[in-house]
């Protein structure tokens, strides 16, 4: 788990993964348009300390749920330009079903549980990005019948 | 003593990033703390009325009923939008 | 779509993808053990001509089903050593749900429809790899209520 | 005339990679071709009896009922194991 201001390169991270039968990676890049129009850059705020704790808990949950050889997450904070990579998840497993499921689970959990907030900057000024209901719905797909979710349910 | 943090849009609305609150017997849960903070003025009342706000205690997501004890770090923030 | 004898590097392929909000990649590597024991190398046989046609059809089906910016597939044939990359799929889309679904669909379809056959070579000799029932089950998850599958159903 | 190809384990079992077959009125489908090939001897009968074998006509997956016409390229092969 890494939370960093510095830019990273997805291809370099891909190279850093251990050998395994199946490797699934996700790279999220800053889009050049948001709900509020054109986007020149993003300001990524986070809750230092909780961010790392949250990403660690999500990765451990994935490792408890699927047989994985590795699960890495890198997320940027601070200022990012359109087109830059904001998040990268790399999962290795013996078989592809586990690698796909764990990688998508990590992203869905990150989107709803990890304390990051985006502010878009564009020609119209700055605006906070709204959370998407579809992200909550996607995260709920992973809920087990009996949940042992150490992070607790979002609420409060 | 409780340390309370605010993030993102909520931080801007309140004009406050962090505050320290003397422990009071009545402030024993997230819901109770939220009610107490709402008394700080109309801006606080309105911002904290947002049903979508999330809370964390000691850096773990919490629920309205999550108990608080002196020394806890509590955070309130809008739904997260990372990734 | 590329079918090639030459080795490829997943990180280089990752770099070749166009910019998009969400990028999902799958890399399949030759495992060092199969159902028949230790594996030193694989011989990948294919049906030249049908292979390319089949991969193209699968990618077009993915593009018709999800809003994608790109879908690339590279698959090796010939002799591969344990640990080498055998297949790579890279999918770009505006949103992650589409990129994950399309990448996994392409792999599931490839596993059941693209004419490749593996022969494992190890200390015990050589043996053809058996198809896995779980791969058929995974591919069936993607079947639409009314199928317009241009490749037809496997059978015969 | 039909061109018939065999792949992988099936190719090895038959000791045959490709053959050409004069068109005959009865050989008008994948199922009919498969029955005709099974008559070539016990090895062919046994190998082609495998219910899991797949077939393709002109490089597209086919079904037992897929019709054949002169000039078609037909292939028989075991379930695929790429990726």
């Amino acid at each position: 788990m890494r939370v960093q201001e510095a830019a990273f390169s997805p291809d370099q991270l891909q190279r850093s993964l251990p050998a395994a039968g199946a490797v699934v990676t996700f790279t999220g890049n800053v889009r050049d348009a948001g709900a509020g129009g054109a986007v020149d850059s993003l300001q990524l705020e986070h809750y230092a300390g909780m961010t790392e704790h949250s990403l660690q808990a999500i990765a451990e949950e994935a490792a408890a749920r699927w047989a994985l050889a590795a699960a890495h997450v890198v997320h940027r904070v601070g200022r990012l330009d359109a087109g830059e990579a904001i998040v990268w998840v790399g999962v290795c497993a013996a078989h592809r079903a586990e690698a796909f499921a764990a990688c998508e689970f990590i992203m869905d959990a990150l989107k709803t549980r990890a304390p990051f907030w985006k502010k878009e900057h564009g020609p119209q000024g700055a605006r906070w990005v709204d959370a998407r209901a579809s992200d909550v719905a996607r995260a709920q797909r992973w809920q087990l019948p009996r949940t042992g979710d150490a992070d607790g349910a979002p609420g409060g | 003593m409780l340390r309370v943090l605010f993030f993102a849009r909520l931080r801007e609305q309140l004009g406050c990033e962090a505050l320290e609150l003397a422990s009071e017997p009545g402030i024993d849960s997230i819901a109770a703390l939220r009610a107490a903070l709402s008394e700080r003025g109309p801006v606080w009342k309105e911002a904290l009325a947002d049903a979508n706000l999330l809370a964390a205690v000691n850096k773990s997501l919490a629920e309205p009923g999550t108990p608080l004890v002196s020394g806890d770090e509590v955070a309130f923030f809008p739904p997260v939008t990372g990734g």
Side-chain angles (χ1 to χ4, degrees), chain A residues 45 47 118-119 130 156, chain B residues 9 11-12 34 73 81 83:
Chain A
E45 182 171 330
Y47 180 2
K118 287 190 188 113
K119 194 175 198 176
D130 287 320
Chain B
R9 192 204 306 258
R11 172 179 53 73
E12 290 187 353
R34 193 162 163 171
E73 177 177 288
T81 58

Side-chain angles (χ1 to χ4, degrees), chain A:
Chain A
M1 305 307 111
R2 266 161 46 198
V3 178
Q4 60 182 43
E5 293 208 8
F8 62 80
S9 121
D11 51 282
Q12 209 165 330
L13 290 168
Q14 161 103 38
R15 224 160 34 229
S16 75
L17 288 170
V23 179
V24 173
T25 71
F26 174 82
T27 309
N29 297 306
V30 179
R31 280 188 288 274
D32 57 8
V39 174
D40 298 323
S41 68
L42 276 188
Q43 188 68 31
L44 249 291
E45 182 171 330
H46 76 128
Y47 180 2
M50 179 170 169
T51 320
E52 293 79 357
H53 173 266
S54 163
L55 295 179
Q56 188 66 38
I58 291 167
E60 283 170 12
E61 207 174 311
R65 222 160 139 171
W66 294 282
L68 306 179
H72 295 181
V73 181
V74 180
H75 201 296
R76 284 188 66 190
V77 293
R79 188 188 177 91
L80 285 82
D81 289 332
E84 286 193 276
I86 179 171
V87 61
W88 182 86
V89 179
V91 175
C92 301
H95 299 285
R96 76 186 185 288
E98 286 76 9
F100 272 114
C103 190
E104 193 165 11
F105 163 81
I106 289 171
M107 275 309 301
D108 287 347
L110 185 156
K111 282 268 182 183
T112 51
R113 284 159 53 181
F116 295 103
W117 301 273
K118 287 190 188 113
K119 194 175 198 176
E120 293 174 350
H121 295 261
Q124 311 88 337
R127 63 180 289 282
W128 290 100
V129 173
D130 287 320
R132 306 195 319 160
S134 61
D135 282 333
V136 176
R138 291 189 68 75
Q140 281 168 347
R141 296 178 309 150
W142 300 101
Q143 271 172 18
L144 297 169
R146 255 189 322 164
T147 175
D149 182 348
D151 256 1

